[in-house]
Amino acid sequence: MLSRRSTALAKVWGSRNLATPASLPKDFFPDEPTGPNVLSATVPGPKSKAASERIAQFQDNRTHVLVADYAKSRGNYLVDVDGNELLDVFAQIARFGSLFRDSMD
């Protein structure tokens, strides 16, 4: 039985097939890390701190905590320039980098 919200969404979206985590294939993000992997002693690590100082020359570096490496980020995991793989809890930003990179192939 559908909830009221699900019924209302179905009326708005019609017959669109909405993906849920349970319905996604296991290989949707085949190279996504299986969990976080922190390589540096601190987050942000030394490479992120150095990159942040370079960014400070043209932009306020208080606007970020670490410097991301979007080319290495996969699925829901953000990789920073230190190589730390972190669960992306900021609106799935990491995914946008992988989508952009995949569209360039």
Side-chain angles (χ1 to χ4, degrees):
M1 178 181 222
L2 293 175
S3 69
R4 286 185 193 166
R5 184 168 188 261
S6 296
T7 303
L9 290 174
K11 287 179 184 176
V12 171
W13 290 330
S15 62
R16 290 184 188 171
N17 184 9
L18 302 177
T20 61
S23 69
L24 292 174
K26 297 280 187 225
D27 60 348
F28 194 74
F29 292 111
D31 54 351
E32 180 179 47
T34 57
N37 184 22
V38 179
L39 303 176
S40 61
T42 62
V43 176
K47 291 180 183 177
S48 282
K49 288 178 183 177
S52 184
E53 289 304 315
R54 288 192 304 274
I55 291 169
Q57 296 174 6
F58 59 87
Q59 176 184 326
D60 186 353
N61 66 351
R62 294 175 297 174
T63 61
H64 60 269
V65 175
L66 53 84
V67 178
D69 184 343
Y70 292 113
K72 293 180 182 175
S73 298
R74 300 282 188 259
N76 292 312
Y77 286 84
L78 179 74
V79 178
D80 68 7
V81 294
D82 291 287
N84 298 314
E85 298 171 334
L86 308 166
L87 181 60
D88 185 0
V89 295
F90 298 105
Q92 299 179 4
I93 295 169
R95 193 175 74 156
F96 296 119
S98 64
L99 292 174
F100 175 75
R101 183 188 60 256
D102 293 343
S103 70
M104 301 302 286
D105 292 337

